Amino acid sequence: MEYFGTDLHKGLSSREIPLKKKLFGENQIQEVKKISPLSIFIAQFTDFITLVLIGAMAISAYLGEVADAIAITAIVIINGFLGFIQEYRTEKSLQALRELAAPTAKVLRDGEIKVVPAKDVVPGDIVLLESGDRVPADGELIEAEGFSIDESILTGESVPVEKSTKPGEEAEMKIHRRNLAFMGTLVVSGRGRMLVTETGMGTEMGKIAGMMGKIEDEETPLQQRLDVLGKQLVTASLFICATVSILGIIRGEKAYDMFLFGVSLAVAAIPEGLPAIVTVVLTLGVQRMIRKNAVIRKLPAVETLGCATVICSDKTGTLTENRMTVRKIYINGKTLMVTGTGYNSEGDFISSEGRLFKKPEGELKRLLEIGASCNNAVISRQKGGLFGDFIKTRELAPSGDPTEVAILVAALKGGVQKENVDSTYRRIREIPFDSNRKRMSVVVKNHRGEIFLFSKGAPDVVLSLCTRIEKDGQVRQLFKKDEDEILTINEDMGREALRVLAFAYKKLTIQEMDDKDPEHGLVFLGLMGMIDPPRPEAIEAVQKCFSAGIRPVMITGDHKATAWAVARELKMITKDSKILTGRELDDMSEPEFTKCVDDVAVYARVTPRHKLKIVKALKKKGHVVAMTGDGVNDAPAVKEADIGVSMGISGTDVTKEASSMILLDDNFASIVAAVEEGRIIYDNIRKFIRYLLSCNIGEVLTMIWTSALGLPLPLLPIQILWMNLVTDGLPAMALGMDPPERDVMNRKPRSKGENVFSGGLAKRIIYRGVLISVATVAAFILTGLYSKGDLILSRTASFSTLVLAQLIFVFECRTERRGIWEQNPFSNIYLTLAALLSAGMLLMVIYVPFFQPIFHTIPPDRNLWMLIVALAGLSAVV
Ligand code: ATP
């Protein structure tokens, strides 16, 4: 510590960090590759269609068709820029996402515990480690309580290694030393503090440069399906284009014309923009989710979210506020009320007869002392504003487990301060809390050399370890009658939605001090009941779930009565709802459980392994399950769930790595918001798939009808290219950002295996494609008759009709359930602007003289415009 300039109690000073970072570098194994905008830009010109176009451009130039060559160049460049903008934004936001999901570390700096990105840890930092954490760097342990680490990632050894602050028998290899912790390994139990000695590439992990938990950008099932569809379309259209072109040449058309025609028909048939727009829409959606506090780690989750049928959620902190306050204390056979709210040390203990305990003594004082001693939370007084140093405020600044904070606050109300208790009872050892044991104990020694074990935990658990009871100054045997009474009180407090903890102690002999299992034969002292109010937004979110056909399920380590009472306040319970406890679950066979799993709304007193059983049963019933988790042991269930959800604040690294989504605010309402967003994204993807495919079908059919009728080409290759690569793209993108339809959260979840084209979408796409092509061919023929065979004017008319029909159609694609007339055309401002811009570009190539020879256009007169608009609109009316 001296070497690094670290203070044992304060850690490093944050002023030194920048220098240290410069000296030792970032704490990272691999340098993150920065994406260069240039490489993204160049990549735009390497896809298949663009290469074909560049080839076509070269051939046109070679044959002296300068106008075509210029037009194709312009189209390729504009298309390249549009693609670049899309992809650059996508890449940027994915990068931001990776940073958000990056691992963090708890470090002691300036005397405070701070959460920093793991890459900012420097040698000399003191890092706090708890079960579930990934060790962020290499270091020496300076504190270890029941501390063990899974080092399999380094050593391949799957049994966790127990660590201590002593090196143990001097091991030959560094990685076998007991007092060292290594980057990337996983804390499985206990707590510890470590002085960081090596970071980044200097760590053992850096030396073998292993894989670290990183965000996976895999393709979503929809993207995979679209890839397959795209490939099929490419093959089919290349075949058709080749056939049509060759037939044309045989008929005596010019080879060059037929070549260009083949190329443009291919462009018309292949929805080349589709995959890119899907990616953009997914990423934009992911960004919107971040704004709603949900960070997606695995892209496929975006789609799966929209299919969720059950959301299994932890109670504490997710459905409730996790701001606990002790309300009742049961001691000496009596229940006392505790007044005062929040993190404020003002409050009293009042008995049912109205007696005030101003200065607690005897059993009550002992209860508060045990609560303060068997406790890892910290409370400091906040400095209040300008005169902070002069005015003593009562508002407290706590840190640590909210259950323990509540106990410390209650102790303060009785004048018991943790610092004083800790100096009277010096802690020798801790047996940490975990949600399987549901209790915590400490071994302490007082000035007289007496050794005690203090325990607190779930009443049913603690009571089963007690053989005696202390009441009114006397310790005597614990009878069945006492037990029954305590359990009844526990049950009553639970029904008032209170979380209840029992407190017990015993005196130890020196020999018993290091016993592996000293928690037995305890003296029961009393109970504390604390409230943890439901989050108001969770109550609303629960209602949203019900109307969206999603079943919310509560899974908690708390007592049955407490869980049920809280679930009732959250309005999660319907008249058929059932509650199951972990024990009841154990007693059921798998088929028995699967049979009733649909009715269970609340699981109480469960341990993390039950969560896995619940997920499996639900999945077997065909449900798509979202499951939350925070602790290490939750990771398997989170991994097994269709949508694993981890907690950003209270979650451990392992659970985060196993999850597909992280909640930044640990809030149930954020899961529901993410589900809603998932549905919106999927809807929007369907919208522009419908749009783009209908347009493509319309274009191809237009060509097929006219060639079947033996008419000249109704659209020139350049016009087809302009339409496909310039005027279609923007409206399709804008559709991807469409606001949700009113009923997104009022319909049933869609089924997971559902095809993108289900619900009659395929039929609608084809039907619409046919209508558009018929309108276009009609415009071509009618203009031909009207103008007595002016081919350029007729082509301008069919070109305009096709573009306008598409621009009207795009508004129709905004809903599958209502007509185009039933919606506000301006509610998606992007779409309005995109449609106007595309219409503007159409007018530009018709009216600007420079473009007229390139695009072979002549401005139509007023009558013709009326015909064009009528035909374009007609398909919408039909
Ligand atoms: P969830 O977040 O899943 O709802 P929970 O917070 O309700 O979980 P646990 O944290 O596993 O459940 O707690 C289970 C029980 O253990 C509690 O009902 C309480 O009696 C007891 N308990 C909770 N925290 C502590 C603690 N710090 N020390 C001792 N006992 C505790």
Side-chain angles (χ1 to χ4, degrees):
M1 283 192 196
E2 217 172 277
Y3 175 74
F4 289 116
T6 309
D7 182 296
L8 176 61
H9 303 290
K10 291 192 173 155
L12 289 174
S13 140
S14 50
R15 266 179 292 137
E16 305 165 43
I17 306 299
L19 183 69
K20 282 223 153 69
K21 261 180 96 172
K22 218 185 233 166
L23 217 59
F24 297 103
E26 292 217 316
N27 180 30
Q28 259 172 352
I29 297 283
Q30 286 129 332
E31 272 300 298
V32 183
K33 249 198 339 240
K34 289 259 183 303
I35 38 143
S36 94
L38 185 68
S39 63
I40 295 181
F41 187 68
I42 291 173
Q44 299 308 313
F45 301 96
T46 53
D47 72 85
F48 176 71
I49 288 288
T50 317
L51 288 178
V52 169
L53 285 178
I54 292 174
M57 177 183 68
I59 293 175
S60 322
Y62 176 73
L63 296 176
E65 303 284 343
V66 183
D68 283 353
I70 293 177
I72 300 178
T73 313
I75 289 168
V76 167
I77 291 177
I78 294 181
N79 187 45
F81 265 109
L82 288 179
F84 168 74
I85 294 169
Q86 282 175 18
E87 199 172 324
Y88 187 67
R89 278 183 57 183
T90 312
E91 201 40 60
K92 272 264 172 245
S93 57
L94 275 178
Q95 203 177 343
L97 192 65
R98 272 181 220 122
E99 271 162 30
L100 258 182
T104 55
K106 287 173 278 231
V107 293
L108 182 69
R109 286 182 189 166
D110 307 318
E112 280 172 38
I113 296 164
K114 292 178 180 162
V115 179
V116 299
K119 69 176 174 34
D120 292 342
V121 171
V122 294
D125 260 328
I126 292 181
V127 173
L128 275 74
L129 297 168
E130 285 172 304
S131 63
D133 288 347
R134 272 222 189 272
V135 179
D138 286 7
E140 267 180 49
L141 294 171
I142 52 177
E143 208 181 296
E145 299 280 1
F147 197 58
S148 59
I149 296 189
D150 172 359
E151 296 187 330
S152 54
I153 191 167
L154 261 188
T155 60
E157 182 63 59
S158 60
V159 185
V161 185
E162 225 170 279
K163 294 276 175 180
S164 73
T165 51
K166 303 185 191 80
E169 66 276 19
E170 199 53 44
E172 269 177 37
M173 276 168 70
K174 196 175 164 192
I175 56 167
H176 292 142
R177 295 246 293 273
R178 293 276 173 199
N179 64 330
L180 299 185
F182 301 101
M183 179 194 235
T185 58
L186 188 67
V187 182
V188 280
S189 68
R191 294 187 313 119
R193 280 179 189 223
M194 152 182 113
L195 174 73
V196 175
T197 52
E198 298 282 358
T199 57
M201 297 307 285
T203 60
E204 293 301 304
M205 195 57 141
K207 287 178 195 153
I208 49 174
M211 274 282 297
M212 296 294 291
K214 60 171 185 218
I215 167 159
E216 298 157 40
D217 350 313
E218 32 188 311
E219 290 204 320
T220 73
L222 181 63
Q223 282 177 308
Q224 287 164 4
R225 255 177 270 151
L226 288 178
D227 274 354
V228 175
L229 177 76
K231 290 210 180 89
Q232 289 165 345
L233 282 176
V234 169
T235 326
S237 50
L238 286 185
F239 178 73
I240 297 176
C241 297
T243 319
V244 174
S245 310
I246 292 169
L247 284 180
I249 295 172
I250 294 172
R251 267 212 318 265
E253 302 267 2
K254 274 210 309 221
Y256 170 75
D257 287 349
M258 278 301 106
F259 161 72
L260 211 52
F261 171 70
V263 170
S264 18
L265 199 58
V267 173
I270 301 168
E272 60 287 323
L274 203 57
I277 301 183
V278 171
T279 317
V280 172
V281 169
L282 284 174
T283 354
L284 285 178
V286 165
Q287 274 177 329
R288 277 201 305 271
M289 287 192 191
I290 295 176
R291 261 174 259 138
K292 294 179 178 168
N293 290 318
V295 176
I296 297 291
R297 286 189 69 252
K298 296 177 186 158
L299 218 43
V302 179
E303 264 168 54
T304 327
L305 269 169
C307 311
T309 56
V310 178
I311 303 178
C312 298
S313 170
D314 289 338
K315 172 177 71 71
T316 311
T318 313
L319 287 163
T320 63
E321 287 185 358
N322 211 5
R323 217 177 133 92
M324 300 204 209
T325 315
V326 175
R327 269 292 142 80
K328 286 192 170 173
I329 288 182
Y330 170 77
I331 190 116
N332 287 335
K334 288 194 199 74
T335 303
L336 308 181
M337 292 289 297
V338 185
T339 61
T341 52
Y343 297 148
N344 192 306
S345 59
E346 233 150 339
D348 294 304
F349 304 91
I350 305 170
S351 72
S352 54
E353 305 95 52
R355 209 183 125 207
L356 197 69
F357 294 81
K358 254 290 165 235
K359 212 161 162 32
E361 45 199 28
E363 281 76 23
L364 180 56
K365 184 164 179 227
R366 193 194 303 271
L367 179 82
L368 299 178
E369 282 176 347
I370 293 180
S373 168
C374 183
N375 199 314
N376 289 321
V378 183
I379 281 189
S380 53
R381 277 190 202 285
Q382 262 175 1
K383 286 186 186 156
L386 204 54
F387 303 103
D389 290 335
F390 304 101
I391 300 171
K392 290 240 175 311
T393 61
R394 294 260 168 195
E395 192 57 29
L396 307 165
S399 64
D401 177 356
T403 305
E404 300 195 334
V405 169
I407 298 170
L408 285 191
V409 174
L412 277 177
K413 288 176 184 170
V416 173
Q417 283 193 9
K418 182 166 170 59
E419 305 91 81
N420 300 346
V421 176
D422 282 344
S423 67
T424 315
Y425 297 101
R426 213 167 37 79
R427 192 189 283 194
I428 300 173
R429 185 179 156 202
E430 173 188 338
I431 310 170
F433 169 80
D434 78 43
S435 38
N436 286 320
R437 289 169 21 87
K438 296 196 175 25
R439 62 182 186 270
M440 164 188 176
S441 301
V442 290
V443 176
V444 295
K445 194 176 189 175
N446 68 9
H447 299 310
R448 273 171 288 171
E450 293 167 313
I451 302 166
F452 292 96
L453 176 87
F454 292 160
S455 295
K456 73 175 195 307
D460 26 345
V461 177
V462 172
L463 207 56
S464 68
L465 306 170
C466 292
T467 50
R468 291 166 291 166
I469 180 170
E470 179 175 340
K471 226 173 179 178
D472 301 320
Q474 273 186 350
V475 176
R476 60 163 171 80
Q477 197 191 337
L478 179 83
F479 296 113
K480 176 89 179 47
K481 191 169 75 71
D482 302 312
E483 249 178 79
D484 288 346
E485 184 185 317
I486 294 165
L487 289 177
T488 314
I489 298 283
N490 176 29
E491 192 83 24
D492 290 346
M493 286 193 192
R495 249 178 265 136
E496 293 169 42
L498 299 181
R499 149 178 285 212
V500 193
L501 261 75
F503 295 78
Y505 69 95
K506 89 169 174 187
K507 204 167 163 185
L508 295 177
T509 60
I510 294 199
Q511 291 85 325
E512 286 171 315
M513 201 170 86
D514 292 323
D515 258 9
K516 230 183 159 31
D517 178 24
E519 295 167 305
H520 52 80
L522 308 184
V523 182
F524 179 85
L525 193 59
L527 302 174
M528 275 194 199
M530 47 193 87
I531 53 152
D532 180 15
R535 290 174 181 262
E537 65 275 23
I539 303 179
E540 233 171 80
V542 165
Q543 289 318 304
K544 234 181 188 175
C545 282
F546 281 124
S547 58
I550 303 167
R551 214 156 51 79
V553 173
M554 175 195 285
I555 302 184
T556 173
D558 244 332
H559 189 268
K560 199 170 173 171
T562 314
W564 190 254
V566 176
R568 173 162 303 146
E569 286 180 20
L570 283 159
K571 302 199 173 77
M572 277 174 77
I573 296 169
T574 58
K575 64 179 191 317
D576 310 315
S577 300
K578 287 201 176 69
I579 181 166
L580 267 190
T581 63
R583 188 158 310 148
E584 288 163 339
L585 197 59
D586 282 333
D587 291 342
M588 281 184 177
S589 68
E590 221 172 283
E592 263 179 311
F593 175 49
T594 312
K595 215 189 288 162
C596 71
V597 70
D598 270 329
D599 297 326
V600 184
V602 180
Y603 294 90
R605 275 285 186 260
V606 289
T607 55
R609 80 191 147 80
H610 291 120
K611 283 189 169 179
L612 189 61
K613 196 169 171 184
I614 297 168
V615 175
K616 284 192 170 154
L618 283 169
K619 279 177 83 172
K620 202 174 263 170
K621 274 290 193 76
H623 284 292
V624 176
V625 189
M627 165 71 89
T628 67
D630 43 14
V632 217
N633 306 323
D634 289 341
V638 167
K639 190 153 200 135
E640 175 72 24
D642 297 282
I643 307 146
V645 184
S646 62
M647 302 296 156
I649 304 170
S650 64
T652 52
D653 294 343
V654 210
T655 323
K656 285 185 196 162
E657 284 165 26
S659 68
S660 37
M661 181 168 103
I662 304 177
L663 296 183
L664 292 179
D665 59 353
D666 292 12
N667 191 339
F668 179 77
S670 305
I671 311 178
V672 182
V675 168
E676 182 169 2
E677 205 55 62
R679 289 186 176 194
I680 298 172
I681 292 173
Y682 193 82
D683 279 358
N684 286 357
I685 289 178
R686 264 174 78 106
K687 290 178 194 173
F688 65 74
I689 286 182
R690 175 179 172 196
Y691 170 66
L692 284 178
L693 291 187
S694 283
C695 291
N696 287 10
I697 291 175
E699 290 159 21
V700 174
L701 286 182
T702 302
M703 307 301 260
I704 291 179
W705 300 152
T706 43
S707 78
L709 292 173
L711 295 172
L713 291 182
L715 295 165
L716 287 175
I718 288 302
Q719 294 168 344
I720 297 182
L721 291 180
W722 181 252
M723 204 149 50
N724 265 281
L725 298 176
V726 180
T727 59
D728 276 6
L730 284 175
M733 274 273 279
L735 261 189
M737 294 183 247
D738 212 34
E741 287 186 63
R742 256 177 278 137
D743 64 345
V744 250
M745 287 305 265
N746 288 332
R747 41 180 139 104
K748 295 256 158 310
R750 68 167 206 282
S751 92
K752 203 177 169 195
E754 191 184 288
N755 191 299
V756 221
F757 298 109
S758 70
L761 191 64
K763 220 168 68 190
R764 244 173 271 154
I765 288 174
I766 295 171
Y767 180 58
R768 199 47 201 265
V770 172
L771 277 181
I772 290 180
S773 66
V774 169
T776 308
V777 175
F780 183 62
I781 296 175
L782 292 176
T783 313
L785 295 175
Y786 175 77
S787 65
K788 307 209 171 52
D790 184 338
L791 195 53
I792 299 185
L793 189 62
S794 308
R795 282 187 180 139
T796 308
S798 45
F799 176 47
S800 312
T801 309
L802 191 45
V803 172
L804 282 186
Q806 292 178 352
L807 292 184
I808 293 173
F809 174 53
V810 75
F811 285 94
E812 215 174 324
C813 292
R814 299 182 57 203
T815 167
E816 287 179 45
R817 288 160 197 83
R818 288 172 293 138
I820 186 171
W821 318 114
E822 294 170 59
Q823 38 160 331
N824 173 3
F826 303 110
S827 58
N828 179 352
I829 189 70
Y830 301 109
L831 187 62
T832 316
L833 289 178
L836 285 177
L837 196 64
S838 292
M841 288 202 278
L842 171 71
L843 295 180
M844 180 181 82
V845 297
I846 295 176
Y847 283 97
V848 176
F850 174 77
F851 291 106
Q852 287 169 347
I854 300 179
F855 286 90
H856 305 273
T857 51
I858 303 176
D861 62 19
R862 190 161 5 126
N863 290 342
L864 268 185
W865 268 125
M866 283 190 336
L867 175 77
I868 291 168
V869 172
L871 281 171
L874 196 64
S875 53
V877 179
V878 175

